[in-house]
Amino acid sequence: MKKFLVAGIAAAAFCSAPALAADIPTKGPIYKAPAPVFSWTGCYFGGNLGYGRDRTRFDDIVDPDTTFVTSHKFVGGGQIGCDYQANNWVVGLQGMFDGTDLGGHAFPEAGAGNPSLFTASKVSWFSTATGRIGYAVNPNTLVYAKGGAAWIHNKYTQSTGALLEFVLQPTRIGWVAGGGVEWAFASHWSLFLEYDYLNFGSHLFQFTDLRVGGTTFPIILKQNTQAVLVGINYRFGGDPWGKSPVVAKY
């Protein structure tokens, strides 16, 4: 009788083992959302600082003589713009304004018609309105080119040996071409390094004598400005890191 009782208990335990195992909780697979990918789509504003070079050629068509004034100074300002990204390509518009103290002076080249003519040039600011096209070599790094219109405000001065001073203060318009690289280092922040070449062509201007009213004389001015800039941008509007993919929850 005891043998039958032990055998029955063993059989019952064996049959109930699978049912007990089925009731033990199991750990399912862990679903991890993919890391968000940076998007260049959106608007931004920021500041920049850099080094500029200005070169102006003065051609006096009366004497005649030619004078070159070249200057190197720091520049600094700000920029604002918007970008749109499609796959790896990024297009956008940007406005930039920089103040500077670029300026210098010189005398005419040897053998000129008026060797005592003292010529000075000073740039107080320049600005650009450009289109921009770039390629994201990786999600956070953008290589780009830019081009468009440029403006520059100058003060040109020429003084003769007779102490007559001729001054012109024009705002000139030209074109700009450049390019650079931009790196997004945080969710809303990016750093950039770029080079810009601004050309304002060759134009005939009439200089006015400030000391003897009404006296003018013609000068042909040819000018270009270059700048290497580093800057920082803050990006806003929408989610600059893009929307994370929808992940099913279990």
mmCIF file of all heavy atoms in Angstrom, residues 195-236:
data_model
loop_
_atom_site.group_PDB
_atom_site.id
_atom_site.type_symbol
_atom_site.label_atom_id
_atom_site.label_comp_id
_atom_site.label_asym_id
_atom_site.label_seq_id
_atom_site.Cartn_x
_atom_site.Cartn_y
_atom_site.Cartn_z
ATOM 1 N N TYR A 195 35.556 81.012 -45.052
ATOM 2 C CA TYR A 195 36.325 82.031 -45.769
ATOM 3 C C TYR A 195 35.394 82.732 -46.747
ATOM 4 O O TYR A 195 34.597 82.074 -47.439
ATOM 5 C CB TYR A 195 37.482 81.387 -46.538
ATOM 6 C CG TYR A 195 38.093 82.308 -47.572
ATOM 7 C CD1 TYR A 195 39.007 83.290 -47.203
ATOM 8 C CD2 TYR A 195 37.738 82.206 -48.920
ATOM 9 C CE1 TYR A 195 39.556 84.138 -48.150
ATOM 10 C CE2 TYR A 195 38.277 83.050 -49.869
ATOM 11 C CZ TYR A 195 39.187 84.015 -49.480
ATOM 12 O OH TYR A 195 39.719 84.863 -50.425
ATOM 13 N N ASP A 196 35.481 84.075 -46.800
ATOM 14 C CA ASP A 196 34.653 84.864 -47.713
ATOM 15 C C ASP A 196 35.530 85.803 -48.532
ATOM 16 O O ASP A 196 36.459 86.440 -47.996
ATOM 17 C CB ASP A 196 33.622 85.688 -46.937
ATOM 18 C CG ASP A 196 32.596 84.817 -46.248
ATOM 19 O OD1 ASP A 196 32.151 83.836 -46.858
ATOM 20 O OD2 ASP A 196 32.240 85.116 -45.088
ATOM 21 N N TYR A 197 35.207 85.925 -49.816
ATOM 22 C CA TYR A 197 35.866 86.879 -50.717
ATOM 23 C C TYR A 197 34.810 87.840 -51.244
ATOM 24 O O TYR A 197 33.825 87.425 -51.853
ATOM 25 C CB TYR A 197 36.533 86.146 -51.884
ATOM 26 C CG TYR A 197 37.133 87.081 -52.907
ATOM 27 C CD1 TYR A 197 38.396 87.640 -52.709
ATOM 28 C CD2 TYR A 197 36.436 87.409 -54.070
ATOM 29 C CE1 TYR A 197 38.947 88.507 -53.634
ATOM 30 C CE2 TYR A 197 36.982 88.279 -55.005
ATOM 31 C CZ TYR A 197 38.238 88.823 -54.779
ATOM 32 O OH TYR A 197 38.776 89.689 -55.702
ATOM 33 N N LEU A 198 34.999 89.128 -50.970
ATOM 34 C CA LEU A 198 34.061 90.161 -51.384
ATOM 35 C C LEU A 198 34.729 91.032 -52.447
ATOM 36 O O LEU A 198 35.851 91.530 -52.224
ATOM 37 C CB LEU A 198 33.628 91.040 -50.209
ATOM 38 C CG LEU A 198 32.826 90.397 -49.073
ATOM 39 C CD1 LEU A 198 33.699 89.559 -48.155
ATOM 40 C CD2 LEU A 198 32.123 91.475 -48.245
ATOM 41 N N ASN A 199 34.055 91.231 -53.568
ATOM 42 C CA ASN A 199 34.604 92.036 -54.656
ATOM 43 C C ASN A 199 33.636 93.164 -54.991
ATOM 44 O O ASN A 199 32.442 92.921 -55.190
ATOM 45 C CB ASN A 199 34.854 91.168 -55.883
ATOM 46 C CG ASN A 199 35.658 91.889 -56.936
ATOM 47 O OD1 ASN A 199 35.201 92.855 -57.539
ATOM 48 N ND2 ASN A 199 36.873 91.408 -57.193
ATOM 49 N N PHE A 200 34.164 94.383 -55.071
ATOM 50 C CA PHE A 200 33.321 95.552 -55.315
ATOM 51 C C PHE A 200 33.630 96.236 -56.638
ATOM 52 O O PHE A 200 33.194 97.363 -56.885
ATOM 53 C CB PHE A 200 33.452 96.525 -54.144
ATOM 54 C CG PHE A 200 33.031 95.907 -52.846
ATOM 55 C CD1 PHE A 200 33.980 95.363 -51.990
ATOM 56 C CD2 PHE A 200 31.692 95.808 -52.503
ATOM 57 C CE1 PHE A 200 33.594 94.754 -50.806
ATOM 58 C CE2 PHE A 200 31.301 95.198 -51.327
ATOM 59 C CZ PHE A 200 32.252 94.668 -50.476
ATOM 60 N N GLY A 201 34.369 95.553 -57.473
ATOM 61 C CA GLY A 201 34.573 96.020 -58.835
ATOM 62 C C GLY A 201 35.387 97.294 -58.938
ATOM 63 O O GLY A 201 36.046 97.736 -57.991
ATOM 64 N N SER A 202 35.344 97.890 -60.123
ATOM 65 C CA SER A 202 36.086 99.109 -60.429
ATOM 66 C C SER A 202 35.096 100.177 -60.884
ATOM 67 O O SER A 202 34.344 99.964 -61.834
ATOM 68 C CB SER A 202 37.118 98.827 -61.521
ATOM 69 O OG SER A 202 37.848 99.982 -61.841
ATOM 70 N N HIS A 203 35.087 101.333 -60.185
ATOM 71 C CA HIS A 203 34.123 102.391 -60.497
ATOM 72 C C HIS A 203 34.800 103.761 -60.450
ATOM 73 O O HIS A 203 35.758 103.975 -59.702
ATOM 74 C CB HIS A 203 32.958 102.366 -59.502
ATOM 75 C CG HIS A 203 32.171 101.101 -59.534
ATOM 76 N ND1 HIS A 203 31.220 100.824 -60.482
ATOM 77 C CD2 HIS A 203 32.216 100.018 -58.721
ATOM 78 C CE1 HIS A 203 30.699 99.634 -60.255
ATOM 79 N NE2 HIS A 203 31.286 99.117 -59.191
ATOM 80 N N LEU A 204 34.269 104.665 -61.231
ATOM 81 C CA LEU A 204 34.748 106.046 -61.251
ATOM 82 C C LEU A 204 33.958 106.868 -60.236
ATOM 83 O O LEU A 204 32.726 106.902 -60.269
ATOM 84 C CB LEU A 204 34.587 106.646 -62.649
ATOM 85 C CG LEU A 204 34.956 108.129 -62.801
ATOM 86 C CD1 LEU A 204 36.448 108.326 -62.554
ATOM 87 C CD2 LEU A 204 34.557 108.629 -64.181
ATOM 88 N N PHE A 205 34.666 107.521 -59.320
ATOM 89 C CA PHE A 205 34.044 108.367 -58.306
ATOM 90 C C PHE A 205 34.584 109.790 -58.417
ATOM 91 O O PHE A 205 35.724 110.006 -58.828
ATOM 92 C CB PHE A 205 34.326 107.840 -56.892
ATOM 93 C CG PHE A 205 33.649 106.537 -56.581
ATOM 94 C CD1 PHE A 205 34.316 105.330 -56.763
ATOM 95 C CD2 PHE A 205 32.357 106.509 -56.089
ATOM 96 C CE1 PHE A 205 33.700 104.127 -56.462
ATOM 97 C CE2 PHE A 205 31.726 105.309 -55.788
ATOM 98 C CZ PHE A 205 32.399 104.111 -55.981
ATOM 99 N N GLN A 206 33.770 110.744 -58.003
ATOM 100 C CA GLN A 206 34.186 112.140 -57.947
ATOM 101 C C GLN A 206 34.473 112.516 -56.493
ATOM 102 O O GLN A 206 33.578 112.528 -55.657
ATOM 103 C CB GLN A 206 33.088 113.047 -58.517
ATOM 104 C CG GLN A 206 32.803 112.853 -59.995
ATOM 105 C CD GLN A 206 33.954 113.345 -60.872
ATOM 106 O OE1 GLN A 206 34.729 114.215 -60.483
ATOM 107 N NE2 GLN A 206 34.050 112.786 -62.073
ATOM 108 N N PHE A 207 35.732 112.782 -56.192
ATOM 109 C CA PHE A 207 36.120 113.220 -54.858
ATOM 110 C C PHE A 207 35.832 114.708 -54.706
ATOM 111 O O PHE A 207 36.049 115.490 -55.635
ATOM 112 C CB PHE A 207 37.609 112.959 -54.620
ATOM 113 C CG PHE A 207 37.923 111.556 -54.182
ATOM 114 C CD1 PHE A 207 37.625 110.474 -54.999
ATOM 115 C CD2 PHE A 207 38.518 111.315 -52.959
ATOM 116 C CE1 PHE A 207 37.923 109.185 -54.599
ATOM 117 C CE2 PHE A 207 38.810 110.027 -52.550
ATOM 118 C CZ PHE A 207 38.507 108.964 -53.380
ATOM 119 N N THR A 208 35.369 115.097 -53.518
ATOM 120 C CA THR A 208 35.027 116.490 -53.247
ATOM 121 C C THR A 208 36.010 117.093 -52.254
ATOM 122 O O THR A 208 36.335 116.483 -51.228
ATOM 123 C CB THR A 208 33.596 116.591 -52.681
ATOM 124 O OG1 THR A 208 32.683 116.044 -53.625
ATOM 125 C CG2 THR A 208 33.224 118.050 -52.414
ATOM 126 N N ASP A 209 36.481 118.304 -52.568
ATOM 127 C CA ASP A 209 37.387 119.018 -51.672
ATOM 128 C C ASP A 209 36.599 119.609 -50.506
ATOM 129 O O ASP A 209 35.689 120.414 -50.705
ATOM 130 C CB ASP A 209 38.107 120.115 -52.455
ATOM 131 C CG ASP A 209 39.082 120.893 -51.588
ATOM 132 O OD1 ASP A 209 39.308 120.464 -50.439
ATOM 133 O OD2 ASP A 209 39.607 121.915 -52.061
ATOM 134 N N LEU A 210 36.937 119.223 -49.274
ATOM 135 C CA LEU A 210 36.209 119.707 -48.106
ATOM 136 C C LEU A 210 36.620 121.131 -47.715
ATOM 137 O O LEU A 210 35.921 121.788 -46.964
ATOM 138 C CB LEU A 210 36.441 118.759 -46.928
ATOM 139 C CG LEU A 210 35.906 117.323 -47.090
ATOM 140 C CD1 LEU A 210 36.144 116.549 -45.802
ATOM 141 C CD2 LEU A 210 34.437 117.329 -47.447
ATOM 142 N N ARG A 211 37.769 121.598 -48.206
ATOM 143 C CA ARG A 211 38.268 122.902 -47.783
ATOM 144 C C ARG A 211 37.978 124.000 -48.798
ATOM 145 O O ARG A 211 37.898 125.164 -48.459
ATOM 146 C CB ARG A 211 39.774 122.814 -47.527
ATOM 147 C CG ARG A 211 40.118 121.745 -46.491
ATOM 148 C CD ARG A 211 41.579 121.721 -46.146
ATOM 149 N NE ARG A 211 41.872 120.600 -45.262
ATOM 150 C CZ ARG A 211 43.048 120.379 -44.721
ATOM 151 N NH1 ARG A 211 44.061 121.191 -44.965
ATOM 152 N NH2 ARG A 211 43.235 119.332 -43.934
ATOM 153 N N VAL A 212 37.839 123.622 -50.026
ATOM 154 C CA VAL A 212 37.484 124.594 -51.062
ATOM 155 C C VAL A 212 36.213 124.075 -51.716
ATOM 156 O O VAL A 212 36.259 123.163 -52.547
ATOM 157 C CB VAL A 212 38.609 124.762 -52.105
ATOM 158 C CG1 VAL A 212 38.201 125.796 -53.149
ATOM 159 C CG2 VAL A 212 39.905 125.157 -51.418
ATOM 160 N N GLY A 213 35.081 124.609 -51.309
ATOM 161 C CA GLY A 213 33.793 124.076 -51.733
ATOM 162 C C GLY A 213 33.635 124.006 -53.239
ATOM 163 O O GLY A 213 34.019 124.924 -53.971
ATOM 164 N N GLY A 214 33.065 122.907 -53.720
ATOM 165 C CA GLY A 214 32.753 122.743 -55.133
ATOM 166 C C GLY A 214 33.837 122.104 -55.970
ATOM 167 O O GLY A 214 33.585 121.711 -57.103
ATOM 168 N N THR A 215 35.064 121.991 -55.460
ATOM 169 C CA THR A 215 36.152 121.398 -56.228
ATOM 170 C C THR A 215 36.067 119.881 -56.168
ATOM 171 O O THR A 215 35.966 119.300 -55.090
ATOM 172 C CB THR A 215 37.508 121.861 -55.679
ATOM 173 O OG1 THR A 215 37.573 123.274 -55.730
ATOM 174 C CG2 THR A 215 38.645 121.264 -56.505
ATOM 175 N N THR A 216 36.105 119.238 -57.318
ATOM 176 C CA THR A 216 36.072 117.771 -57.391
ATOM 177 C C THR A 216 37.120 117.288 -58.389
ATOM 178 O O THR A 216 37.576 118.051 -59.247
ATOM 179 C CB THR A 216 34.693 117.256 -57.837
ATOM 180 O OG1 THR A 216 34.414 117.746 -59.149
ATOM 181 C CG2 THR A 216 33.597 117.693 -56.873
ATOM 182 N N PHE A 217 37.500 116.036 -58.250
ATOM 183 C CA PHE A 217 38.350 115.418 -59.265
ATOM 184 C C PHE A 217 38.065 113.921 -59.292
ATOM 185 O O PHE A 217 37.675 113.336 -58.281
ATOM 186 C CB PHE A 217 39.832 115.714 -59.007
ATOM 187 C CG PHE A 217 40.430 114.998 -57.828
ATOM 188 C CD1 PHE A 217 41.177 113.854 -57.998
ATOM 189 C CD2 PHE A 217 40.249 115.483 -56.534
ATOM 190 C CE1 PHE A 217 41.735 113.200 -56.920
ATOM 191 C CE2 PHE A 217 40.806 114.836 -55.454
ATOM 192 C CZ PHE A 217 41.552 113.693 -55.651
ATOM 193 N N PRO A 218 38.239 113.282 -60.470
ATOM 194 C CA PRO A 218 37.836 111.878 -60.629
ATOM 195 C C PRO A 218 38.925 110.900 -60.199
ATOM 196 O O PRO A 218 40.104 111.104 -60.467
ATOM 197 C CB PRO A 218 37.579 111.773 -62.134
ATOM 198 C CG PRO A 218 38.507 112.776 -62.724
ATOM 199 C CD PRO A 218 38.629 113.903 -61.735
ATOM 200 N N ILE A 219 38.476 109.837 -59.550
ATOM 201 C CA ILE A 219 39.354 108.741 -59.144
ATOM 202 C C ILE A 219 38.650 107.425 -59.477
ATOM 203 O O ILE A 219 37.456 107.262 -59.201
ATOM 204 C CB ILE A 219 39.664 108.775 -57.637
ATOM 205 C CG1 ILE A 219 40.492 110.003 -57.274
ATOM 206 C CG2 ILE A 219 40.369 107.500 -57.186
ATOM 207 C CD1 ILE A 219 41.926 109.926 -57.744
ATOM 208 N N ILE A 220 39.381 106.486 -60.057
ATOM 209 C CA ILE A 220 38.849 105.137 -60.275
ATOM 210 C C ILE A 220 39.258 104.270 -59.092
ATOM 211 O O ILE A 220 40.450 104.170 -58.774
ATOM 212 C CB ILE A 220 39.364 104.532 -61.587
ATOM 213 C CG1 ILE A 220 38.878 105.370 -62.781
ATOM 214 C CG2 ILE A 220 38.894 103.088 -61.732
ATOM 215 C CD1 ILE A 220 39.424 104.904 -64.113
ATOM 216 N N LEU A 221 38.287 103.683 -58.447
ATOM 217 C CA LEU A 221 38.532 102.852 -57.272
ATOM 218 C C LEU A 221 38.225 101.385 -57.588
ATOM 219 O O LEU A 221 37.156 101.066 -58.113
ATOM 220 C CB LEU A 221 37.657 103.299 -56.106
ATOM 221 C CG LEU A 221 38.002 104.642 -55.456
ATOM 222 C CD1 LEU A 221 36.950 105.014 -54.439
ATOM 223 C CD2 LEU A 221 39.370 104.586 -54.813
ATOM 224 N N LYS A 222 39.148 100.520 -57.229
ATOM 225 C CA LYS A 222 38.957 99.075 -57.352
ATOM 226 C C LYS A 222 39.248 98.452 -55.995
ATOM 227 O O LYS A 222 40.316 98.690 -55.415
ATOM 228 C CB LYS A 222 39.883 98.492 -58.420
ATOM 229 C CG LYS A 222 39.660 97.016 -58.682
ATOM 230 C CD LYS A 222 40.540 96.521 -59.822
ATOM 231 C CE LYS A 222 40.257 95.055 -60.134
ATOM 232 N NZ LYS A 222 41.102 94.571 -61.258
ATOM 233 N N GLN A 223 38.295 97.660 -55.462
ATOM 234 C CA GLN A 223 38.408 97.196 -54.081
ATOM 235 C C GLN A 223 37.950 95.759 -53.922
ATOM 236 O O GLN A 223 36.972 95.321 -54.538
ATOM 237 C CB GLN A 223 37.578 98.099 -53.164
ATOM 238 C CG GLN A 223 37.658 97.766 -51.686
ATOM 239 C CD GLN A 223 36.850 98.726 -50.841
ATOM 240 O OE1 GLN A 223 36.066 99.522 -51.357
ATOM 241 N NE2 GLN A 223 37.040 98.685 -49.528
ATOM 242 N N ASN A 224 38.677 95.002 -53.086
ATOM 243 C CA ASN A 224 38.213 93.677 -52.659
ATOM 244 C C ASN A 224 38.570 93.472 -51.199
ATOM 245 O O ASN A 224 39.534 94.042 -50.684
ATOM 246 C CB ASN A 224 38.777 92.559 -53.544
ATOM 247 C CG ASN A 224 40.278 92.412 -53.406
ATOM 248 O OD1 ASN A 224 40.787 91.917 -52.405
ATOM 249 N ND2 ASN A 224 41.014 92.859 -54.436
ATOM 250 N N THR A 225 37.773 92.658 -50.522
ATOM 251 C CA THR A 225 37.936 92.384 -49.099
ATOM 252 C C THR A 225 37.831 90.878 -48.876
ATOM 253 O O THR A 225 37.014 90.210 -49.504
ATOM 254 C CB THR A 225 36.856 93.110 -48.268
ATOM 255 O OG1 THR A 225 36.898 94.502 -48.565
ATOM 256 C CG2 THR A 225 37.065 92.901 -46.782
ATOM 257 N N GLN A 226 38.672 90.358 -47.993
ATOM 258 C CA GLN A 226 38.638 88.942 -47.655
ATOM 259 C C GLN A 226 38.519 88.794 -46.140
ATOM 260 O O GLN A 226 39.006 89.642 -45.387
ATOM 261 C CB GLN A 226 39.907 88.244 -48.150
ATOM 262 C CG GLN A 226 40.136 88.374 -49.641
ATOM 263 C CD GLN A 226 41.447 87.757 -50.074
ATOM 264 O OE1 GLN A 226 41.650 86.543 -49.962
ATOM 265 N NE2 GLN A 226 42.351 88.587 -50.567
ATOM 266 N N ALA A 227 37.891 87.715 -45.721
ATOM 267 C CA ALA A 227 37.716 87.484 -44.280
ATOM 268 C C ALA A 227 37.709 85.990 -43.980
ATOM 269 O O ALA A 227 37.126 85.195 -44.726
ATOM 270 C CB ALA A 227 36.423 88.119 -43.784
ATOM 271 N N VAL A 228 38.384 85.628 -42.912
ATOM 272 C CA VAL A 228 38.322 84.274 -42.347
ATOM 273 C C VAL A 228 37.613 84.398 -41.006
ATOM 274 O O VAL A 228 38.058 85.147 -40.124
ATOM 275 C CB VAL A 228 39.720 83.668 -42.167
ATOM 276 C CG1 VAL A 228 39.625 82.303 -41.489
ATOM 277 C CG2 VAL A 228 40.426 83.548 -43.507
ATOM 278 N N LEU A 229 36.488 83.689 -40.858
ATOM 279 C CA LEU A 229 35.624 83.862 -39.700
ATOM 280 C C LEU A 229 35.427 82.551 -38.952
ATOM 281 O O LEU A 229 35.306 81.485 -39.570
ATOM 282 C CB LEU A 229 34.250 84.391 -40.130
ATOM 283 C CG LEU A 229 34.220 85.689 -40.935
ATOM 284 C CD1 LEU A 229 32.802 85.961 -41.429
ATOM 285 C CD2 LEU A 229 34.727 86.855 -40.105
ATOM 286 N N VAL A 230 35.368 82.638 -37.644
ATOM 287 C CA VAL A 230 34.899 81.536 -36.797
ATOM 288 C C VAL A 230 33.664 82.053 -36.065
ATOM 289 O O VAL A 230 33.588 83.235 -35.708
ATOM 290 C CB VAL A 230 35.970 81.050 -35.807
ATOM 291 C CG1 VAL A 230 37.134 80.431 -36.533
ATOM 292 C CG2 VAL A 230 36.447 82.195 -34.922
ATOM 293 N N GLY A 231 32.687 81.180 -35.873
ATOM 294 C CA GLY A 231 31.462 81.651 -35.240
ATOM 295 C C GLY A 231 30.672 80.547 -34.581
ATOM 296 O O GLY A 231 31.005 79.361 -34.685
ATOM 297 N N ILE A 232 29.612 80.950 -33.910
ATOM 298 C CA ILE A 232 28.729 80.026 -33.212
ATOM 299 C C ILE A 232 27.294 80.381 -33.544
ATOM 300 O O ILE A 232 26.956 81.560 -33.695
ATOM 301 C CB ILE A 232 28.977 80.072 -31.690
ATOM 302 C CG1 ILE A 232 28.182 78.976 -30.970
ATOM 303 C CG2 ILE A 232 28.678 81.452 -31.114
ATOM 304 C CD1 ILE A 232 28.592 78.789 -29.517
ATOM 305 N N ASN A 233 26.453 79.373 -33.712
ATOM 306 C CA ASN A 233 25.041 79.560 -34.035
ATOM 307 C C ASN A 233 24.168 78.857 -33.006
ATOM 308 O O ASN A 233 24.514 77.764 -32.532
ATOM 309 C CB ASN A 233 24.703 79.010 -35.416
ATOM 310 C CG ASN A 233 25.223 79.887 -36.534
ATOM 311 O OD1 ASN A 233 25.213 81.108 -36.444
ATOM 312 N ND2 ASN A 233 25.696 79.266 -37.612
ATOM 313 N N TYR A 234 23.040 79.478 -32.707
ATOM 314 C CA TYR A 234 21.996 78.833 -31.911
ATOM 315 C C TYR A 234 20.827 78.537 -32.831
ATOM 316 O O TYR A 234 20.287 79.440 -33.474
ATOM 317 C CB TYR A 234 21.535 79.723 -30.758
ATOM 318 C CG TYR A 234 20.415 79.103 -29.949
ATOM 319 C CD1 TYR A 234 20.690 78.149 -28.981
ATOM 320 C CD2 TYR A 234 19.087 79.455 -30.185
ATOM 321 C CE1 TYR A 234 19.663 77.563 -28.249
ATOM 322 C CE2 TYR A 234 18.059 78.873 -29.454
ATOM 323 C CZ TYR A 234 18.351 77.923 -28.496
ATOM 324 O OH TYR A 234 17.349 77.339 -27.784
ATOM 325 N N ARG A 235 20.419 77.289 -32.896
ATOM 326 C CA ARG A 235 19.351 76.858 -33.799
ATOM 327 C C ARG A 235 18.057 76.679 -33.019
ATOM 328 O O ARG A 235 18.052 76.121 -31.924
ATOM 329 C CB ARG A 235 19.736 75.552 -34.501
ATOM 330 C CG ARG A 235 20.937 75.755 -35.394
ATOM 331 C CD ARG A 235 21.333 74.511 -36.178
ATOM 332 N NE ARG A 235 22.309 74.901 -37.177
ATOM 333 C CZ ARG A 235 22.015 75.305 -38.397
ATOM 334 N NH1 ARG A 235 20.751 75.324 -38.791
ATOM 335 N NH2 ARG A 235 22.963 75.674 -39.247
ATOM 336 N N PHE A 236 16.961 77.158 -33.603
ATOM 337 C CA PHE A 236 15.679 77.105 -32.900
ATOM 338 C C PHE A 236 14.570 76.779 -33.898
ATOM 339 O O PHE A 236 14.780 76.759 -35.107
ATOM 340 C CB PHE A 236 15.383 78.443 -32.216
ATOM 341 C CG PHE A 236 15.333 79.614 -33.162
ATOM 342 C CD1 PHE A 236 14.145 80.042 -33.715
ATOM 343 C CD2 PHE A 236 16.503 80.288 -33.495
ATOM 344 C CE1 PHE A 236 14.103 81.122 -34.582
ATOM 345 C CE2 PHE A 236 16.473 81.373 -34.360
ATOM 346 C CZ PHE A 236 15.275 81.779 -34.912
#
